[in-house]
Amino acid sequence: MTTIDLGPAVSGERRETRRRAGRLSYYVAGEGPPVLLIHSINAAASAYEMRPLHERLSTHRRVYTVDLPGYGFSDRSARPYDIRLFTNAVLDMADVIREAHGPRAFDAVALSLSCEFLARAAREVPDAFASLAFVTPTGFSKGSHRKREAPETPMRVPGMRSFLNAPWGRPLYRALTSERSIRYFLQRTFGRKDVPEDLVAYDWRTAHQPGAERAPFAFLSGSLFARDVRVLYEDLTLPIYVLHGTKGDFKDFSEANWAIARRNWLFSAFDTGALVHFEKPDEFLGAYQRFLGDVAGIRAAAS
């Protein structure tokens, strides 16, 4: 397969670290208190999904934006892609940030399914995080109250992994990541026909790298979705801000009432699709900064 030039997803310096999750690529930009940005998991994900927030926050924060395992410039080798690998990637980035800035807790923002990995990392190393922001997180849709099984139990679809690993798996992935397919899935994510063409273009390029299908196949087989997500979220006591859209395929927050009732959780709904920060970046940033300004108050109220 001919390698497509990927190019940087965001501004700043691209660096790499090798730790528990293998070789991780991440971008560093700006000066000020550190903040970690974590993209979602899908067929064509990358740090580019956090670009609007990365560019705005880097004007006054030291921003670390990671390519998760199997995506962007990070290691895409043949290995198990599971919940622990992605949680370890968040823990690796926490180590990177704390080594550079000292042991002081920092803020972190994750998108969609990656909110579960961030939540798991925060539960394991709670003193590393000052606050969490979840952008259209998984784990609040209908039926999520039943997800109370053993830690890291995956929601595997029987037979799906074998199906994807068959000879037709790679051609199927290429069909799923054609420009037309990428635009279609983004339209469902945004809940409208017009989607950012720059996002379509970068998604296509990152999905045409060697080994690009490996992490997405784990995602499609259900191996990255956890059956303990309700317990995971309930265990969190630090300030958490959920910013989510009301359009598109990922608007079901029908089982969020338990979290809304807790003093350490704050929810804001936007008239957008799942990628709130792409559609209303300034409004998103304003809301997020107000949350950060009240973190101390939220901690006090929740204690």
Side-chain angles (χ1 to χ4, degrees), residues 29-31 53-61 63 285 289:
E31 296 297 335
L53 192 54
H54 173 101
E55 303 303 336
R56 284 166 174 76
L57 282 175
S58 62
T59 63
H60 58 282
R61 299 288 298 264
V63 183
L285 185 58
Q289 288 178 323

Side-chain angles (χ1 to χ4, degrees), residues 182-241:
I182 288 171
R183 183 173 286 104
Y184 168 75
F185 287 117
L186 284 176
Q187 287 171 345
R188 296 187 63 170
T189 299
F190 279 84
R192 56 187 173 87
K193 289 293 184 181
D194 57 316
V195 296
E197 289 301 316
D198 59 323
L199 181 58
V200 173
Y202 199 89
D203 281 2
W204 184 86
R205 292 201 301 273
T206 194
H208 286 74
Q209 303 300 309
E213 74 281 357
R214 291 176 176 135
F217 278 2
F219 168 75
L220 292 170
S221 70
S223 297
L224 303 182
F225 292 88
R227 294 186 181 276
D228 67 325
V229 66
R230 181 62 173 267
V231 178
L232 173 65
Y233 284 166
E234 288 178 347
D235 283 348
L236 298 175
T237 58
L238 74 172
I240 304 168
Y241 191 16

Side-chain angles (χ1 to χ4, degrees), residues 47-274:
Y48 201 95
E49 292 179 343
M50 306 305 287
R51 184 181 178 92
L53 192 54
H54 173 101
E55 303 303 336
R56 284 166 174 76
L57 282 175
S58 62
T59 63
H60 58 282
R61 299 288 298 264
R62 185 68 163 170
V63 183
Y64 292 78
T65 303
V66 65
D67 277 324
L68 289 173
Y71 293 101
F73 287 96
S74 289
D75 184 2
R76 301 186 188 231
S77 63
R79 54 178 172 160
Y81 288 86
D82 54 21
I83 294 168
R84 177 45 42 186
L85 177 66
F86 287 90
T87 302
N88 281 343
V90 179
L91 293 172
D92 287 349
M93 289 306 302
D95 288 347
V96 166
I97 293 170
R98 299 182 92 188
E99 287 169 10
H101 297 269
R104 183 177 178 181
F106 60 90
D107 304 304
V109 184
L111 176 62
S112 191
L113 178 58
S114 293
C115 297
E116 297 186 22
F117 309 134
L118 175 56
R120 204 172 298 277
R123 186 172 66 175
E124 294 177 14
V125 191
D127 64 330
F129 300 93
S131 73
L132 308 180
F134 295 162
V135 185
T136 316
T138 52
F140 291 100
S141 59
K142 184 178 179 180
S144 61
H145 67 280
R146 294 191 293 269
K147 296 178 180 178
R148 297 180 174 278
E149 297 187 24
E152 300 184 31
T153 303
M155 298 176 62
R156 290 194 184 97
V157 179
M160 179 60 75
R161 197 55 188 267
S162 297
F163 174 81
L164 294 171
N165 287 336
W168 52 75
R170 189 166 294 177
L172 174 62
Y173 177 73
R174 290 290 170 250
L176 288 172
T177 55
S178 67
E179 184 177 307
R180 181 177 181 179
S181 293
I182 288 171
R183 183 173 286 104
Y184 168 75
F185 287 117
L186 284 176
Q187 287 171 345
R188 296 187 63 170
T189 299
F190 279 84
R192 56 187 173 87
K193 289 293 184 181
D194 57 316
V195 296
E197 289 301 316
D198 59 323
L199 181 58
V200 173
Y202 199 89
D203 281 2
W204 184 86
R205 292 201 301 273
T206 194
H208 286 74
Q209 303 300 309
E213 74 281 357
R214 291 176 176 135
F217 278 2
F219 168 75
L220 292 170
S221 70
S223 297
L224 303 182
F225 292 88
R227 294 186 181 276
D228 67 325
V229 66
R230 181 62 173 267
V231 178
L232 173 65
Y233 284 166
E234 288 178 347
D235 283 348
L236 298 175
T237 58
L238 74 172
I240 304 168
Y241 191 16
V242 175
L243 306 96
H244 68 89
T246 59
K247 298 179 179 178
D249 285 0
F250 307 102
K251 61 184 178 183
D252 183 3
F253 283 78
S254 58
E255 293 199 9
N257 286 342
W258 70 267
I260 294 171
R262 292 195 174 185
R263 292 184 176 181
N264 65 308
W265 288 78
L266 175 66
F267 281 70
S268 290
F270 295 79
D271 185 30
T272 67

